[in-house]
Amino acid sequence: MEVRKKKEFKVLLQLFTIFFKLGPSTFGGGYAMIAAIEREIVNKKAWLKPGEIGDMVSVAGSAPGGVAVNSAAFVGYKLAGVLGASLRYSPLRCRPF
């Protein structure tokens, strides 16, 4: 049980870090972030399969709210369930100093 919690915490921390980097460094709105999200989530981390990016964009675009935030929720839910999805706002709303 303890090992599982450590693994979940590590995944949540990695999710936060990735979306924290993407938030302020991507201009043009949520759809402009899709390529950067794909690079990080599919190519570097292999958390999603290439075909799942289309699912992510479809869900993120059809759900109310911003595409970037909904994409973060999709990835977070896929990796860490409800807790992963609920942490989606934090990294994208943080401002760099």
Side-chain angles (χ1 to χ4, degrees):
M1 187 70 144
E2 186 69 29
V3 174
R4 183 176 176 211
K5 286 186 179 186
K6 285 183 181 181
K7 185 178 179 181
E8 286 178 2
F9 179 75
K10 183 178 178 182
V11 168
L12 290 172
L13 185 61
Q14 289 175 344
L15 270 172
F16 182 90
T17 304
I18 287 170
F19 282 99
F20 181 75
K21 284 191 318 185
L22 291 176
S25 66
T26 309
F27 300 99
Y31 286 109
M33 293 179 73
I34 298 299
I37 292 171
E38 182 177 14
R39 183 181 61 244
E40 292 289 331
I41 302 300
V42 175
N43 299 340
K44 290 185 179 179
K45 295 290 185 184
W47 285 338
L48 294 179
K49 297 173 187 166
E52 291 177 310
I53 288 295
D55 297 338
M56 181 190 74
V57 173
S58 297
V59 170
S62 63
V67 173
V69 174
N70 291 340
S71 297
F74 183 90
V75 175
Y77 184 79
K78 180 111 171 116
L79 297 177
V82 175
L83 182 59
S86 65
L87 293 177
R88 68 189 183 269
Y89 287 108
S90 302
L92 293 170
R93 299 293 178 223
C94 292
R95 300 287 181 226
F97 294 101

